[in-house]
Amino acid sequence: MRQTSGVRGDLRLRPVRPAGWWFDGLLLASVVAITVALASGHLFGLDRAVADWSDEHRPTAARWVAMTLNLLGQGTPLTLLAAGLGVLLALRLRSVRPILPPVVAFVLTFFTIGPLKVWTARPAPSASVKEPFLSPEQTLPLFQHDLPVRFAQSYPSGHVANAIVWYGVLALLLAPLVRTVGRTVPPRLVTVVRVVPPAVVFCTTVYLGWHWLTDSIAGLLLGLLLDRLLRRVPWDDLPLPRRLGDWRRPVDWSAPG
């Protein structure tokens, strides 16, 4: 029987803050609660009020600024960037382990965010002013499976959820990558990478009318949940095939501070 081996035989989850699984349960319960509320016809007034306010306070200049800033949440470029940094770090350290976080993040987001959007089948606020040109009231409910899939993928916000997950992966790779050139990353920079882009994406996505407020809140909660799962993974302890030899070597993932 072929044996696989990691750095250590025991797999201990890495610590997260807040510690424990209670916070993960709270995030999941909150997503479920918002989904149930929307499915029951609640929170529509809040979503409509925020969308209407955004429509009334969106001059051309502000719209272009928001559209530019919203590019921070594009899933495909973020995926490619994280994969590229993972490969670069792997080559520098001669270890395959830096490739693992982007791969696992891709699999995790692919099998959660996308299926949820298809299952909930909610149009975006803009669906009343462009295809499929629904009435404002028709754009709010979930489970509109009679619409083509491309017109009903607003809930939860993939922009927000992906931003949280992928900037978390980039922050994870940043410290060991910078360390390969003999420098260290300031702790505040790691925090900025994790927090600022998702916050900007959250605000601009709602402001542009590309998602309802509750879409983005659900995306935020889901993204935080997925990020916590990824941060728990003991990347250096995951068993890898023995034939990889020295390419199984561990990585110093720790950030200063």
Side-chain angles (χ1 to χ4, degrees), residues 29-77:
S30 299
V31 174
V32 172
I34 294 175
T35 306
V36 171
L38 291 171
S40 303
H42 295 88
L43 303 178
F44 288 173
L46 173 63
D47 277 338
R48 174 54 64 193
V50 173
D52 289 345
W53 183 93
S54 298
D55 288 340
E56 295 168 1
H57 298 81
R58 195 188 302 131
T60 302
R63 177 175 175 270
W64 280 104
V65 171
M67 289 176 62
T68 301
L69 293 174
N70 192 261
L71 294 175
L72 291 170
Q74 294 297 313
T76 299

Side-chain angles (χ1 to χ4, degrees), residues 171-197:
L172 176 68
L173 296 171
L174 186 61
L177 182 61
V178 172
R179 199 175 291 119
T180 63
V181 294
R183 297 183 179 274
T184 58
V185 178
R188 288 185 179 179
L189 179 58
V190 176
T191 301
V192 167
V193 170
R194 283 189 171 275
V195 174
V196 173

Side-chain angles (χ1 to χ4, degrees), residues 11-253:
L11 289 177
R12 294 186 179 181
L13 298 180
R14 301 173 69 200
V16 293
R17 292 185 295 179
W21 291 92
W22 67 269
F23 192 70
D24 303 72
L26 179 61
L27 292 172
L28 180 58
S30 299
V31 174
V32 172
I34 294 175
T35 306
V36 171
L38 291 171
S40 303
H42 295 88
L43 303 178
F44 288 173
L46 173 63
D47 277 338
R48 174 54 64 193
V50 173
D52 289 345
W53 183 93
S54 298
D55 288 340
E56 295 168 1
H57 298 81
R58 195 188 302 131
T60 302
R63 177 175 175 270
W64 280 104
V65 171
M67 289 176 62
T68 301
L69 293 174
N70 192 261
L71 294 175
L72 291 170
Q74 294 297 313
T76 299
L78 286 174
T79 302
L80 295 176
L81 177 59
L85 291 183
V87 170
L88 176 60
L89 183 58
L91 293 175
R92 284 183 175 273
L93 298 179
R94 297 186 62 81
S95 170
V96 300
R97 295 189 182 275
I99 302 176
L100 299 179
V103 171
V104 175
F106 176 80
V107 173
L108 194 59
T109 55
F110 183 83
F111 286 103
T112 54
I113 300 173
L116 274 174
K117 293 167 76 70
V118 173
W119 175 63
T120 54
R122 190 189 200 190
S126 57
S128 63
V129 295
K130 62 181 182 180
E131 282 193 285
F133 296 106
L134 304 174
S135 67
E137 294 75 19
Q138 287 179 296
T139 59
L140 286 160
L142 274 64
F143 307 124
Q144 299 194 48
H145 295 289
D146 55 321
L147 294 173
V149 172
R150 68 183 186 277
F151 296 139
Q153 295 190 56
S154 187
Y155 181 90
S157 170
H159 276 73
V160 176
N162 276 311
I164 293 173
V165 169
W166 287 112
Y167 282 103
V169 172
L170 291 175
L172 176 68
L173 296 171
L174 186 61
L177 182 61
V178 172
R179 199 175 291 119
T180 63
V181 294
R183 297 183 179 274
T184 58
V185 178
R188 288 185 179 179
L189 179 58
V190 176
T191 301
V192 167
V193 170
R194 283 189 171 275
V195 174
V196 173
V200 170
V201 172
F202 181 101
C203 295
T204 56
T205 297
V206 175
Y207 179 67
L208 290 167
W210 291 351
H211 282 284
W212 301 104
L213 176 62
T214 51
D215 296 344
S216 291
I217 293 175
L220 172 67
L221 297 169
L222 179 60
L224 289 174
L225 176 61
L226 298 180
D227 178 66
R228 283 173 62 84
L229 294 178
L230 288 169
R231 295 178 73 175
R232 280 191 170 93
V233 178
W235 302 108
D236 282 346
D237 299 332
L238 296 180
L240 297 174
R242 294 177 63 89
R243 63 176 176 272
L244 290 176
D246 290 342
W247 282 83
R248 297 176 299 161
R249 60 167 53 95
V251 177
D252 182 5
W253 300 100

